[in-house]
Amino acid sequence: MDWAAVPGRSFRCDTENTLCSLIFCFHSSQIDDKEFDIPQVDTPPTLESILNELEDEEEPFVLEDTCVLSTDNMDAHSCETSSLASSDSGDPAHLKRKRKTVDLNTTVHGSVLRHNLLKGISAQIVSAADKVDAGLPTAITVSSVIAVGTSHGLALVFDTNQALRLCLGTKTTGAEFGAVSALSINHDCSRLLCGFANGQITMWDLANGKLLRTITDAHPPGTAILHVKFTDDPTLAVCNDSGGSVFELAFRRMMGMRSCDSRCLFSGSKGEVCCIEPLRAPPDFRDHPITHHSLLAMASLTKILVIGLKPSLKVWMTFPYNKSDPSSVPQLAWHFVPVQKTVNPVLAFCKGDIVHFLLVKKEESGAIHVIKQRQLHLSCDIISLSWINSSTLVLVDSREKLLVVDRPSQEVLETLDLEQVQLVYNSRHFKSLATGGNVSQALALVGEKACYQSVSSYAGQIVYLGTKSAHIMTLRNWRERIDCLLKQDHFVEALSLSWSFHEGTAKAVVGLFGDTVKRKGVISDKMVEILCKFAEYALKKCPEQGKIQVMEQHFQDVVPVLVDYCLLLQRADLLFNQLYDRLVENMVAKGVFLEALESYIVVDRLGHLTTPIMRDLLAHYHDNGMMDSLERCIVHLDVTSLDIQQVVQVCWENQLYDAMIYIFNSGINDYLTPMEKLFAVIGPPLREGRSLTDEEVVIGNKLLVYISCCLAGRAYPLGDIPEDLVVQVKNQVFEFLIRLHSADLSEEEEVFPFIRTLLHFDTREFLNVLAMTFEDFKNDKQALEYQQRIVDILLQVMVDNPDFIPSQVGGLFTFLARQLAKPDNTLFVNRNLFDQVLEFLCCPDDDSRHTERQQVLLELLQVGTVVQFNEGRLLALAEKAKFYQICEFLYEKQHLYDRIIDCYLRDPLRKVEIFSFIHNLLSMPGYSPEEKQTVKDKVLQHIQELVTLDPCKSADIVLLHFTQEVQQIISGLQVKLKVVKYLKLLSTTGWRKPYKYLVLLLLCVEFYCLCDCVQELNMCIHKKRRTWVFVQLMFNYILPPHLILPAIRSKYHHSEATAYLLEKKGDIDGAFSVLLEALRETLRLLTAGRQSKAEVAGEKQDEGKIQRDSTLTKVKDSLSDIINLCNRSSHNLFQQQREALWFPLLETMMDSQKRVNKHDAKHTSEVLKELTMKVLNCMSSFISLPAIIQRILQDPVYGTGKLAELQGLILGMMDSFNYEQILLETTTNLLNHDLHWSLAHLRAAVTRGLHPRQDYCNICLQQYKRRQDSVEEIIVFICGHLYHVQCLQQKDSGCGISLAAHQQWNCFKCSSSHGGRGGPSIEPNRECSTSLAQTHVRSIHRDFREEAHKKKMFVETTMDLQQEQSWDQLRSLYRGPSRLSILSDLSLCHSSEKSGLLFPTQPGNETFQLKLSPPPLLEE
């Protein structure tokens, strides 16, 4: 029996009908033998006769263009796939739970993929395996036909009707070649390549089923064919075997003989390739210039390669993978994608969870460029990758979950479960089990999840091969996606998806054609249909019985959606006619609809209502007491849609004043009638003296706001008054306010009733309204006349009127004062009235608004309004009213600066600013010596009060300006208790800022010297002994050491302070003797303690141990002090003088060891040895090593046979030498590296090009010429500003700066001054409006020995924003680790790892370890 060909079953493929779509019923039925009635005959039937028995109920395999798929030929029973939002949509209970209104902004994709079972093919695959032992399916490929390979070496070819047309191969050849491991069909569907597990390749003619070629030598034997692929050239194919090699197959036909030439493209010995994908262009892009190169993508286990087969073999790109799981399967997929108005191929590849995209372009020069695109990050291990269109990919992960991903947005559109498909994996072929399994472990590991031959894509279709079935995936068109949601009654999601189609934001769209207007029109019609269905569905599903709240909630989930989409579609007619007419049948739905309109009206999305809707709206809101909501709606609606008479009547009846004002203003341009109505409400009770109700207060506040809006050109409550009516409305309001009488004149009515009413209602707020209105009056002559008129009326009405309380009159005077204080004031007030204003502002009996009244008067003084009045009288009034700022202003005009100090001391709010005032006045130039002396005298007079106020700032003042008056200040501190108080304060503050308390401490010391309170002072000093030494460092700025030294030596016997003062006098030997004597005394105490009875036990022994440890601590401290003195002094001494310091110290330490060693005191002896080593280490920097060794050998302790101890000392000195040598080398390397780094960055900064921000000069604003032949010179600064050289020279000449040949230029715009290259310094001038206490002045002190008691004063300058940014850039350019801090740490560290290692000079962090490698630099 010949299984290779079947007569009469040949067919011809039409390539023009290859774009197809598959519509089937997803209803898998169990394969039953009864389906195939096989008769009992002697001769068994052929495989083809069995497989061609198509059942009547099976549906044909129809191929259509998916791009033009219509709903007419769509199967209503096709499978409904689930999206991410409803992954279990098949569960009815789940559907019930999910039936809720979603947010309109939520992205809805619906069911994107149509999943169909190829029922005819699946049935015949199973039947062939069961009936004739064709084997299980192993591979599939799709073109205009579908070919399925089996494990017994057969290839089954099915046509468009799912009918078996060819059965290629026989079971005999299958036994020889093994299972079909790869399939490929050429572009015209005329040839089929089959690769086998044993390594053979066959070519078949699909027209007649004839075997054309059997290729057995294309690749090394013993390897399975993993891939075989046709290229666009029908005579060229490529294959990939399980050895990881790739071969090119060139088919030839000469003299009627067919042959195949093989060429190795990639050897598996260089890296195993496990996936190949040639670029195959669809029919529309066959002439694309890139196709002439026959590109081939290959994926190995470590990288991606793109090569060109034509015209010659060339590697165009290699791309390594990111780190991924070794078992991840590499994937490749080509597709032509439109990018920037051109269509070019894009290669998608992945290995693991990251998909990369490479755009391949061919330039005009013929070169091919590969451009990397944005990556796609997923959270799954991908085993299959396919394009379904130019923007959508379909992925399968290792859990057999299918993902539909939109590439531009990187959004997962849908997820399907392919577990029921039971994908066929190609693990056997990757492991090459048919040829003995001679593959690498890495390739075998990848093969565990390889399913390359189970997935095939073609023309927007993807076919998946299962163990017993074949499935096809296609994109649903836009109507089908919407209908899928409608079938599940998901109307909200359907509308959201439809709107995304309408706006062009939907993903994976199929079936929309034409221009934008046409597409939107088609979608709008569909949405209208959905809205009508949704309304009918809501009415039908409304619960007929139950609580009213349930019904309301039901319609509240529906009505807002209807309204929203009708407004989005701009179909108000649909909303108010068709939908409302349907909803009005249900009273609950009608109410919900009317109430839902409010939220759209108040945000101005709905501004016009039809007359029936407006009538129903008024009735519903009125009947339900929703008057506030009604008012909010009215003020946003178009007036033309309102029945003005009806609405005004409702507003008056329900006191909707905002709505009433809006209707009068917008409807009939009447701005005065609402004002009259509101005055009629609040006027009578105010005239009668009655208290206003809460409602009347609200109305009064509305009236004030309404008047303010009208005068400011703003519409009430929203919007603006039309521009052509602004002036007219403002004049009408002013005329209305200044009317003598109202329209309803009565006998009791006083003149100017409206202004009186507003003043009685809220004087302060009404005056604030006028003040804001007057701010806009500048060049309007008529408005200024109204301003003067209103002010005159206010004075006439309020002054000398018993109806107004003093606080109200005071508010008027404050208002007038502020108006008069304006620089452009045009108001006129007579002098008598102004005297009343001043008397009120300075009234001492009124404590209310004290600060505001003072500020108003100060503003009047600053603008010079009251210059014509008697300053003496004004000063008396200010002092009486405790207006100390006014007093300061007047005293400063009279240059009475000493009296300003009294003002600060009396002002509780500004008392702490007195120190700044004193410092600034004594520091800044511009004040005469006599004025400064008067201030000094005043300070000395109040020194005790200043010290009580703030001792820290008092110390600053004395330190900076009163060093000559210390004794006088001391005599001013009369109370001993205060001094004790501040001394205790110093002892408890932790001395965080010792210089702040320096002067006060000195005062305390001198005071205690006079009072002979030695004991308490000593207690304070010893508590802060370390800080005391720091304080001594500052004494030379206050008093010479020879004045302090006698008191310290005679009264307190403080060795550290005495030594420091002697050192400051220059007596180094005296200071050394004092400290050495203190050290010897401490050592004597230590050795005397050791000579006492050591056998004392119990508590006395413990007390002795504590006392010994305390003495050791004192020894260490004393030794550190004397070593520090020797280190400081040795730099300035000769060699003999250095030896005179260091050797006595060394002898003292060695002598103490000699005395201690006579007793059994091991711990003390070790400590003293360590201290001796410390001395040796420190002195080795100043004394030669031979001299030190000679001195040591002369000592009896080391000179009488104790070689081990001597050896330890010498080795320790050698270690110290090695340490210092390494330290020196490291320091040199660090400094050299820093120097190179700085020079390199400086060179880079100098040679960097500058790009100007603008193309014009920042001085003359003229554009510079870009021609190269232009003689015009320009300068571009690093900030980006550009200037003409001539403009900068003119600016500098105008500033009086002489030009130099090599003068440094600065940016004129970024400079804080107005000059180009700087100019002479300008002394600061203090304006009258700025308090001297608020001016920041700094002081810099010279050294006492250079220039005693002299200070250099200057005003602190600040940088503008541009300079700060430039400074930050400069700092970031040179930012790096501080090498100085590294060297400081090295100099401060000491290690205790070796007993013989000498310690460095300064004690530091014991845990510090020297790291000889320099730290990395942070370079930009």
Side-chain angles (χ1 to χ4, degrees), residues 472-486:
I472 190 166
M473 305 288 182
T474 55
L475 288 176
R476 298 181 185 271
N477 67 10
W478 68 277
R479 288 184 181 272
E480 189 179 354
R481 289 168 63 179
I482 295 173
D483 291 338
C484 287
L485 294 172
L486 294 178

Side-chain angles (χ1 to χ4, degrees), residues 1400-1420:
T1401 57
Q1402 298 290 342
N1405 183 8
E1406 297 181 358
T1407 62
F1408 181 85
Q1409 295 181 357
L1410 175 62
K1411 296 182 179 180
L1412 300 182
S1413 60
L1417 287 176
L1418 301 176
E1419 299 184 1
E1420 296 181 355

Side-chain angles (χ1 to χ4, degrees), residues 234-268:
T235 65
L236 196 63
V238 290
C239 69
N240 174 211
D241 62 15
S242 59
S245 300
V246 180
F247 296 87
E248 177 189 73
L249 305 178
F251 304 116
R252 301 286 184 268
R253 186 174 182 180
M254 297 179 62
M255 305 294 291
M257 298 295 293
R258 290 184 173 89
S259 64
C260 176
D261 297 332
S262 174
R263 178 176 61 160
C264 182
L265 302 178
F266 189 89
S267 174

Side-chain angles (χ1 to χ4, degrees), residues 672 675 707 710-711 729-737:
L672 298 183
M675 210 175 296
I707 294 174
C710 292
L711 295 178
V729 172
K730 187 181 297 185
N731 295 338
Q732 288 179 357
V733 173
F734 276 128
E735 290 291 344
F736 177 82
L737 292 177

Side-chain angles (χ1 to χ4, degrees), residues 474-732:
T474 55
L475 288 176
R476 298 181 185 271
N477 67 10
W478 68 277
R479 288 184 181 272
E480 189 179 354
R481 289 168 63 179
I482 295 173
D483 291 338
C484 287
L485 294 172
L486 294 178
K487 290 176 184 178
Q488 303 176 42
D489 295 335
H490 292 170
F491 292 94
V492 178
E493 289 84 351
L495 287 169
S496 178
L497 180 60
S498 302
W499 183 248
S500 66
F501 289 137
H502 185 277
E503 294 299 300
T505 60
K507 309 296 188 300
V509 182
V510 175
L512 279 176
F513 305 101
D515 57 10
T516 304
V517 176
K518 182 179 179 181
R519 295 172 64 173
K520 287 188 174 183
V522 173
I523 299 170
S524 298
D525 295 340
K526 182 66 176 179
M527 293 185 69
V528 170
E529 177 186 347
I530 298 173
L531 290 171
C532 295
K533 291 182 178 180
F534 192 20
E536 294 291 345
Y537 173 83
L539 292 172
K540 181 179 179 181
K541 295 295 182 179
C542 177
E544 299 178 357
Q545 298 178 354
K547 296 183 179 180
I548 190 68
Q549 292 83 357
V550 177
M551 301 175 65
E552 289 179 350
Q553 182 62 44
H554 171 74
F555 286 108
Q556 286 172 0
D557 294 339
V558 176
V559 172
V561 179
L562 299 176
V563 177
D564 201 359
Y565 283 108
C566 285
L567 296 180
L568 288 174
L569 294 172
Q570 299 179 1
R571 291 293 304 273
D573 58 330
L574 172 67
L575 178 65
F576 296 141
N577 295 330
Q578 301 179 35
L579 297 181
Y580 182 67
D581 291 344
R582 297 183 183 183
L583 294 176
V584 78
E585 301 173 0
N586 188 301
M587 295 304 297
V588 177
K590 176 182 177 182
V592 171
F593 178 87
L594 295 174
E595 293 175 9
L597 296 180
E598 178 189 357
S599 59
Y600 299 94
I601 294 174
V602 297
V603 296
D604 298 325
R605 290 188 60 187
L606 183 60
H608 184 84
L609 300 180
T610 61
T611 302
I613 298 290
M614 190 64 205
R615 182 174 58 250
D616 293 345
L617 184 73
L618 288 174
H620 178 78
Y621 281 42
H622 183 271
D623 295 341
N624 290 274
M626 302 171 61
M627 305 317 308
D628 292 338
S629 299
L630 178 61
E631 187 174 32
R632 284 193 296 269
C633 293
I634 291 176
V635 298
H636 286 84
L637 287 173
D638 185 6
V639 179
T640 58
S641 66
L642 304 177
D643 184 347
I644 295 181
Q645 182 178 1
Q646 179 188 10
V647 175
V648 169
Q649 181 180 357
V650 173
C651 293
W652 277 121
E653 292 176 353
N654 298 276
Q655 299 179 351
L656 306 181
Y657 297 106
D658 287 353
M660 179 197 67
I661 294 173
Y662 171 75
I663 293 172
F664 273 96
N665 292 350
S666 302
I668 56 179
N669 290 336
D670 184 356
Y671 291 84
L672 298 183
T673 300
M675 210 175 296
E676 293 175 349
K677 300 293 185 181
L678 296 177
F679 271 112
V681 176
I682 66 172
L686 289 175
R687 286 194 296 270
E688 297 171 3
R690 293 188 288 106
S691 298
L692 297 180
T693 63
D694 293 340
E695 295 180 356
E696 291 171 340
V697 171
V698 172
I699 295 173
N701 291 328
K702 286 182 183 292
L703 178 60
L704 283 174
V705 176
Y706 177 52
I707 294 174
S708 176
C709 290
C710 292
L711 295 178
R714 303 284 296 176
Y716 182 86
L718 302 168
D720 295 318
I721 298 175
E723 294 184 3
D724 56 338
L725 297 177
V726 172
V727 178
Q728 176 184 346
V729 172
K730 187 181 297 185
N731 295 338
Q732 288 179 357

Side-chain angles (χ1 to χ4, degrees), residues 170-331:
T170 63
K171 296 176 64 176
T172 303
T173 57
E176 179 184 356
F177 295 168
V180 175
S181 57
L183 293 172
S184 179
I185 302 175
N186 64 353
H187 67 83
D188 61 359
C189 200
S190 61
R191 298 289 185 269
L192 172 68
L193 281 176
C194 297
F196 294 90
N198 290 337
Q200 294 84 356
I201 300 174
T202 60
M203 177 184 288
W204 300 87
D205 188 343
L206 291 179
N208 52 25
K210 181 180 179 181
L211 177 64
L212 302 179
R213 288 180 178 88
T214 299
I215 306 170
T216 59
D217 56 353
H219 64 102
T223 56
I225 297 295
L226 300 182
H227 302 276
V228 60
K229 303 276 187 179
F230 270 112
T231 64
D232 281 338
D233 185 353
T235 65
L236 196 63
V238 290
C239 69
N240 174 211
D241 62 15
S242 59
S245 300
V246 180
F247 296 87
E248 177 189 73
L249 305 178
F251 304 116
R252 301 286 184 268
R253 186 174 182 180
M254 297 179 62
M255 305 294 291
M257 298 295 293
R258 290 184 173 89
S259 64
C260 176
D261 297 332
S262 174
R263 178 176 61 160
C264 182
L265 302 178
F266 189 89
S267 174
S269 60
K270 299 180 180 180
E272 296 163 307
V273 172
C274 52
C275 181
I276 60 174
E277 192 66 38
L279 174 62
R280 299 182 63 177
D284 296 340
F285 300 102
R286 292 284 165 80
D287 297 330
H288 196 283
I290 203 74
T291 59
H292 303 303
H293 293 270
S294 292
L295 295 183
L296 173 66
M298 300 183 294
S300 71
L301 299 178
T302 58
K303 59 186 176 181
I304 295 290
L305 297 93
V306 177
I307 66 175
L309 303 179
K310 294 181 180 180
S312 61
L313 184 64
K314 186 173 183 180
V315 178
W316 289 108
M317 188 275 304
T318 60
F319 188 91
Y321 297 128
N322 296 327
K323 291 184 178 180
S324 61
D325 188 353
S327 65
S328 298
V329 184
Q331 297 291 328

Side-chain angles (χ1 to χ4, degrees), residues 11-24 54 58-64 118 120-121 124 142-147 157-166 189 458 461 472:
F11 69 96
R12 190 163 176 265
C13 297
D14 187 357
T15 58
E16 295 181 358
N17 296 326
T18 56
L19 295 178
C20 31
S21 175
L22 313 175
I23 317 287
F24 304 92
L54 183 63
E58 292 205 8
E59 299 176 3
F61 176 82
V62 182
L63 297 179
E64 294 181 355
L118 298 180
I121 296 177
Q124 294 180 82
V142 62
S143 180
S144 56
V145 296
I146 291 182
V157 181
F158 300 91
D159 64 6
T160 57
N161 295 319
Q162 301 190 59
L164 179 65
R165 289 296 175 258
L166 291 173
C189 200
Y458 179 76
Q461 306 164 114
I472 190 166

